[in-house]
Each structure stands twice: as C-alpha cells, then as structure tokens.
C-alpha cells in the first residue's frame, strides 16, 4: 500500500473541527468499501480462524456512560437499566444513509436477522440478549450485531462490552468479574483493537477499572482514546484532568455531554454545544476535544487508519491460513476402497516411520523435529552413555582412597599358603576384582532399562505421528512396538549381565595401557614407604593417580605392606580397563540393537501384529474412515470455504483501493 493513501494515522490532536463537521463525500467513498469489507469478514467470523480484525472496542466501568455514548453516536435509544444490561458483546454497525427518511435497523445473531425500529430497539436487543445468554444475569461470548442505517450517522463499527463490575448483584454468577474481564481482555488484547475508554468526569480516572485493564494491554496508550462523559455534572477541574493526562491516553480525550432525560438527540447536541460554548470552565477546553460530533469524526478517522493499516496484513493472513489448510487437507488420507489400497497405505506408513526413525536414531538428521531436543536421539544417546560412564567411574564403593590398603592387607592375609613369600597370590587379585565387579553389577542392566525406555518413547511417538490418520491402527502398532522393545530390552539386559559375569571371572587385557598405568603407579612405592617409615609420621600422603590417602593406621601392619601396595596398583590400573570395556560394549550393543530394530525387526513385528493369523483383520479396519479424521476433513473444508470467501472479499476491496490510487 502506498503511503499516500493512509489517512492521518492516530493523530491525537486532529485539526479543530466545527460541530457536526460534514464528512466529505470522497472520504466516505474511500472508507465505506473498506468498512464494508471488514464488516463482511467479521460476519464471516474470520476471527474464528485466528485472524484479528481492526475493531473499536468500547470499555468502561459500570454507569460510566458507555451506552449513552453509543446512543449519542447512533442517535437511537439503547437498553438502560440497573446492573448490567449489556451481557453479550454488542457489535454496532452504524452506516450513514443520506437522504433516507426512515432509519433501517436490524439485529443479527444466531444466524438470523431480526428487523426492528427505533421504538422497539431496546426491547429487541433485550430479547436477543436473553436468547443468546439466557434470561438470567449471566453473560455470553457470542456476539449480537446491531445494524443501524440512518441519515447522518458516522460510518463506524464498534463493539460494546459488558461494564466491569467488582461485586456480583443478586442472581449473577460468583465469578462474574473474572468472566467479564476475560471477555474484555480478549477484545482489547489484539494490537488491531482500538480501545475507546469511557470515563465519567465525576470520578478520578486513575481509579477506573477500565483504565487499569487497558493499561495492561496498551501501556503507552497508543491505541487508547478516552471519552469523558458527564462533563455537565463535574465541570470543575475537567480541563486540568484532560490536560494532565495522568493515565496515558495516547489518542487523546474527547469530553461530551450525553442526552439527559427526554431530550431529543438534536436538542441534546444543541445543549452540548451551548454547554461547551458558555460554561465558564468548560468553554476553556479546546474545541478540538469536545462534543459528540468531534468524537464521531475522530473515531471515523482512527477507524479508517487502522483499517488501511491492517488490511494488507489481513490479506496475508487469510492467504497463509488458506494455503496451510489446503495443504493439510491434501495430507489427510484418501478414503480407501480395497484391501490392496489399504495395504499400500499401511506399507507407506511403515516405510515413512522407518525412515524417520533412521534419521533420528541412526543418522542424526533432525529436520523433522527441529525444536524437540528429546527427539534428537543420536545426541541424547551419547549423552546417556557419558552419564553411564560417569556413574561407573564415580561409584563411591570403588574409590581407591577408601580404606587404602586395608582391604588388600586383609585379602592377602587370607590368601596365605604354604609357599614362597615373594609371590603375589593371584587369588588375592581375583577376590578384589570380584568384589569390585559385584559392587557395580546392577548398574549396566539398569542403564539398559533406562535407555530402552527412552527409545520406546521415541519410537512410539514417531509411529503414532505417522499413523495419526488411521487411529484404528494405532493401538496394535503401539502394542507391537512395545512388545518388541521389551523383548530387545530383556535381551540386552541379559547380555550385559553376561558381560558383567565375564569380567568377574577373568582378568585379562591386551591393552598396553594397563602396564603403563601400573608402572606409573608403582613408581611411587618408595615415596610411599618413606612416608610409612618416616620419623615425622605424616598422617597422609598424596599419590598421583590415587589421591590423598591415610597412612597413619598402616604403620602397625607393615608386614605385607609392599605386596598390598602392589596389589592396589594392579587393581587400580586394571579397573580402568574394565570400566572402559563396560561402556564400550554397552555402546556397541546398543547401536547394534537399535539398527536391527529399525531396519528389520520393527516392520516384521508390526506386520505380524496387524495381519498375522490370529489378529482379526487389522488391515480391513483401515477401510472405514476414523470419525476423528472425518471430523477433521469437515472442519478443514468449512474453514477453507470461509477463507476463500474472505479472500474474495478482500481481493475486491484491494482492487478498488488500487484503482482509487490510480485516479488520485
Ligand atoms: P453504562 O452503564 O456505562 O452503559 O452507562 P449508561 O450509559 O447507562 O449511563 C449511566 C447513567 O449516567 C445514566 O443514567 C445516564 O443517563 C447518565 N449519563 C450518561 N452520560 C451522561 C452525561 O453526559 N451527563 C449526564 N448528566 N448524565 C449522563
Ligand atoms: Mg450500558
């Protein structure tokens, strides 16, 4: 849209205008089609599609004069009374109808149109409200539209909402305050909404509930316009109040005096004009911010501006939404008519699920789940393996500093036999090794269980995603996957227990690191013995590769201390090899199992579950479309129809605007 087209945008201080300034015909010509288009979109309920329309929303505390302001703008009587009369959102569409001698009024709600006239409008609104929200005092979100076509009314569409009340009156639900504020917030939250805040001159603005609410969604007030009613009742200090602007009203104030008693609307406008011309205090207020005609003119200008501003965005949103819905409809499954077709569809689902699983579990490609860390399996699996490795390494029972050499001394004591003293008995080493292996023996199987629980979650998630259009397949698919993974898990656990058992029985490695490490550790033996024998009797000593260890209580057990030291260093060096082997074999087996599962076993298991000999026709069930899919198809079709209609409405208006531009 060219800038030259936009109407002065939200100018808080427009040019002063005379009372009842005539809105020029050309201005009307340009705005009217826009307004009609937006109103048609509103009628089509594009809001249901999450597309916000530019809307002027009237808010105000109870008895602030909301209805009176709307009446003044429309020149008709609206329901008034004690408590809340406005119990549903009332969309008021005012349309100037020059030359018409008789106004045309009608209500639209619940899909019907009810014609009425000026004398019966209040009653008609009340009846419609009862029909929508029940005859009690409850409120409803379903809107009621009132169309007023009348000579001289401004072209405006506004939404009147129930007034905010803190205290429920008799017969009102307890949470009426929450209900109403929720409704108001829903209308004023969108950036496209203009908030018309109705304030009574008789109150301190900063105490108004409606100010508090509009400030929550529009802090700077850039889309809030204030109407100050009852200027006649509280003229003192009004000028100061609107000039001080303590409550951040970005679009400015308009002070008005509404109709009082039995005055006609013409009389009321005359009285208002007189009041602001002659009252000693009120006449000081700038004429550009007083009177209902000024309000009407400001509102029409603001409305034109927001519509022109929002329209391109609306067009884009309608098209985006339309495209997305059409694409989604295409993705919905075709209705299947033969077992062969069903079989093909089923094999396609399996194929695509398999491909997704290969990507996330094996190849590490996450394009299908970019935001979901949990589905980035290759990364998560290596994280889990690292955790496993840390868990093994940091196992407190296996800290070499604990009971340093005491255990070794005990074991050596019991391994004594008839033989030469300078041989280190192998049985002592094996005893120590077996104790250590036993200490961690529960960890590998429990890690297997954990890791496969995680994989199960991922596999089922992927399978469910790919079969979502055939809910009738999902329970057996899920069952098959669960069964298979359970089997795999049990097998893996058994295997890890075997690995543990092997480590318990045999001490062997061809890894040269063992000898390297042992030599390094043993090189500290002299330092250690010095500390034991030193006359300074240190309490502890720091050994590289072991840490700080107590030596005080070793001095009275010197007999086999050298052998014990050697034994300790062997087991320490060897234990590192053992732990490394646990983690490595875990990793190798895990990937082996995952690959088998994804590449072959899963498909066989699911096919078996669905079309095996003892599973009453799983595939045939695909021939009936699931109700949830049928409902989704319906909803998409409805939504697409609505969006197409909306797109046509805006396309027409955009054409006209463009043509308007050419002739400008
Ligand atoms: P609502 O609850 O916000 O819709 O408030 P109403 O429009 O029903 O007005 C509440 C009361 O204030 C009614 O008795 C109106 O007649 C009165 N009122 C509204 N505007 C004015 C005004 O400008 N001057 C005077 N004197 N009374 C007004
Ligand atoms: Mg009211």
């Amino acid at each position: 849209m060219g800038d030259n087209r936009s109407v002065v945008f939200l100018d808080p201080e427009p040019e002063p205008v005379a009372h009842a300034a005539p809105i020029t015909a050309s201005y009307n010509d340009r705005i009217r089609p826009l307004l009609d288009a937006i109103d048609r979109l509103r009628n089509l309920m594009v809001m249901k599609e999450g597309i916000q329309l530019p809307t002027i929303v009237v808010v105000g505390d109870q008895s602030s004069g909301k209805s009176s302001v709307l009446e003044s703008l429309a020149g008709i009587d609206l329901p008034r009374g004690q408590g809340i009369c406005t119990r549903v959102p009332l969309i008021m569409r005012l349309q100037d109808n020059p030359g018409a001698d008789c106004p045309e009024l009608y209500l639209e709600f619940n899909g019907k149109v009810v014609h009425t006239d000026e004398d019966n409008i209040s009653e008609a609104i009340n009846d419609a409200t009862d029909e929508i929200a029940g005859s009690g005092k409850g409120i409803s979100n379903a809107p009621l539209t009132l169309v007023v076509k009348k000579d001289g009314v401004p072209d405006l569409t506004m939404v009147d909402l129930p007034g905010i009340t803190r205290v429920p009156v008799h017969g009102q639900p307890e949470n009426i305050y929450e209900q109403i504020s929720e409704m108001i917030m829903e209308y004023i939250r969108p950036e496209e909404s203009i908030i018309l805040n109705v304030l009574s001159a008789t109150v301190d603005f900063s105490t108004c509930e409606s100010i508090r609410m509009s400030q929550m969604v529009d802090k700077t007030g850039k889309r809030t316009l204030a109407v100050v009613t009852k200027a006649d009742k509280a003229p003192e200090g009004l000028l100061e109040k609107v000039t001080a602007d303590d409550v951040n009203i970005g679009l400015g104030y308009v002070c008005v005096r509404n109709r009082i008693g039995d005055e006609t609307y013409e009389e009321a406008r005359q009285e208002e004009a007189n009041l602001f011309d002659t009252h000693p205090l009120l006449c000081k207020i700038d004429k550009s911010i007083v009177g209902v005609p000024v309000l009407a003119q400001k509102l029409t200008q603001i409305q034109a501006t927001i519509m022109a501003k929002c329209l391109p965005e609306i067009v884009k949103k309608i098209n985006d939404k339309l495209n997305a819905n059409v694409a989604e409809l295409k993705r919905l499954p075709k209705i299947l008519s033969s077992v062969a077709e069903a079989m093909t569809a089923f094999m396609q689902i399996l194929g695509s699920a398999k491909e997704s699983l290969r990507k996330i579990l094996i190849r590490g490609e996450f394009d299908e789940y970019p935001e979901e860390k949990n589905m980035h399996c290759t990364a998560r699996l290596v994280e889990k393996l690292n955790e496993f490795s840390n868990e093994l390494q940091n196992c407190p029972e296996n800290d070499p500093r604990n009971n340093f050499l005491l255990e070794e001394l005990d074991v050596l004591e019991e391994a004594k036999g008839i033989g030469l003293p300078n041989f280190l008995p192998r049985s002592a080493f094996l005893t120590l090794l077996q104790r250590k292996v036993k200490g961690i023996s529960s960890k590998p199987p429990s890690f297997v269980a954990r890791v496969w629980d995680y994989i199960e979650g991922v596999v089922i998630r992927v399978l469910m995603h790919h079969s979502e259009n055939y809910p009738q397949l999902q329970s057996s698919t899920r069952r098959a996957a669960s069964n298979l993974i359970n089997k795999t898990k049990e097998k893996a656990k058994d295997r890890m227990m075997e690995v543990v058992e092997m480590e318990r029985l045999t001490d062997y490695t061809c890894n040269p690191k063992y000898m390297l490490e042992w030599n390094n550790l043993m090189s500290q033996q002299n330092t250690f013995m010095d500390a034991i024998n030193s006359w300074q009797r240190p309490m502890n000593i720091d050994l590289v590769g072991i840490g700080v260890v107590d030596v005080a209580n070793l001095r009275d057990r010197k007999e086999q201390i050298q052998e014990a030291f050697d034994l300790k260093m062997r087991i320490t060096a060897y234990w590192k090899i053992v732990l490394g082997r646990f983690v490595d074999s875990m990793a190798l087996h895990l990937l082996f199992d995952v690959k088998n599962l994804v590449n072959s076993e899963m498909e066989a298991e699911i096919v078996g579950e669905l079309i095996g000999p003892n599973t009453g026709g799983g595939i045939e069930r695909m021939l009936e479309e699931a109700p949830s899919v049928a409902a989704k198809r319906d909803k998409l079709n409805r939504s697409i129809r609505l969006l197409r209609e909306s797109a046509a409405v805006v396309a027409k208006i955009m054409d006209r605007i463009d043509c308007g531009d050419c002739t400008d």
Side-chain angles (χ1 to χ4, degrees), residues 361-546:
L361 275 164
I362 301 170
R363 298 209 298 265
E365 294 166 11
F366 309 133
D367 53 308
E368 292 174 27
Y369 300 92
E371 303 303 328
E372 283 176 72
K373 286 270 158 65
N374 193 47
M375 302 300 274
H376 299 184
C377 302
T378 42
R380 298 294 85 76
L381 285 177
V382 82
E383 249 169 42
K384 286 184 200 294
L385 270 174
N386 288 339
E387 269 166 38
F388 176 57
S389 167
N390 287 337
E391 197 186 325
L392 289 178
Q393 245 132 45
N394 302 329
C395 173
E397 301 97 289
N398 282 317
D399 189 334
R401 291 168 301 182
N402 280 351
N403 287 329
F404 184 70
L405 297 196
L406 292 175
E407 194 186 1
E408 286 73 13
L409 283 166
D410 289 344
V411 170
L412 282 170
E413 184 78 27
E414 295 310 303
K416 270 197 278 201
I418 301 175
L420 287 174
N422 61 342
F423 284 91
L424 205 51
R426 182 150 176 268
S427 64
F429 183 81
L430 281 178
T431 308
L432 285 174
L433 176 64
Q434 278 159 11
R435 282 189 191 167
K436 276 175 115 50
V437 172
K438 189 157 177 260
I440 56 103
S441 62
S442 67
K443 290 186 196 301
S446 83
F447 174 74
V448 168
R450 267 204 323 269
V451 116
W452 281 98
D453 285 348
Y454 164 72
I455 295 174
E456 178 173 7
V458 168
V459 169
I460 291 193
R461 166 86 211 278
V462 169
L463 286 170
M464 292 305 106
H465 171 69
H466 285 278
S467 60
E468 70 191 351
N469 289 327
Y470 298 99
Q472 59 273 57
L473 295 185
Q474 287 188 316
S475 67
S476 37
T477 307
R478 183 192 293 266
R479 196 166 47 238
S482 262
N483 281 344
L484 176 62
I485 288 178
N486 256 327
K487 273 189 268 174
T488 316
K489 188 199 285 179
E490 288 313 314
K491 231 168 49 196
K493 266 194 209 167
D494 288 347
R495 209 191 285 125
M496 278 329 281
M497 265 136 77
E498 271 173 24
V499 171
V500 170
E501 186 61 15
M502 290 189 263
E503 294 291 358
R504 212 173 65 82
L505 292 177
T506 310
D507 53 337
Y508 171 76
T509 180
C510 65
N511 190 339
K513 271 205 177 148
Y514 166 68
M515 285 307 286
L516 210 67
E517 175 86 12
W518 177 69
N519 281 327
N520 283 342
L521 289 167
M522 285 305 281
S523 67
Q524 306 177 82
Q525 193 170 28
N526 288 342
T527 330
F528 169 73
M529 288 313 290
D530 288 352
I532 293 279
N533 297 321
S534 157
W535 58 270
Q536 286 172 316
R537 303 175 69 83
M539 294 293 284
N540 48 41
I541 171 174
D542 190 356
L543 294 171
V544 178
I546 303 274

Side-chain angles (χ1 to χ4, degrees), residues 23 52 56 88 110 190 323 349 351-352 376 381 417 511 528 555 573 613:
I23 296 160
Q52 299 296 345
I56 296 174
V88 299
N110 291 353
N323 291 339
I349 291 173
S352 55
H376 299 184
L381 285 177
N511 190 339
F528 169 73
R555 290 204 174 89

Side-chain angles (χ1 to χ4, degrees), residues 29 55 67 82 147-148 246 384 387 556 563 611 628 661:
D29 284 350
T55 307
S67 301
Q82 288 302 312
V147 180
V148 178
D246 291 331
K384 286 184 200 294
E387 269 166 38
D556 31 322
E563 285 94 331
I611 41 186
S628 62
D661 250 9

Side-chain angles (χ1 to χ4, degrees), residues 61-69 80-81 229-233 256-260:
D61 294 4
Q62 242 181 48
S63 297
S64 57
K66 287 182 303 302
S67 301
S68 307
V69 168
R80 292 231 211 121
T229 62
K230 309 186 194 177
D232 55 314
K233 276 176 117 178
V256 300
R257 170 210 179 272
N258 290 310
R259 189 170 69 125
I260 297 171

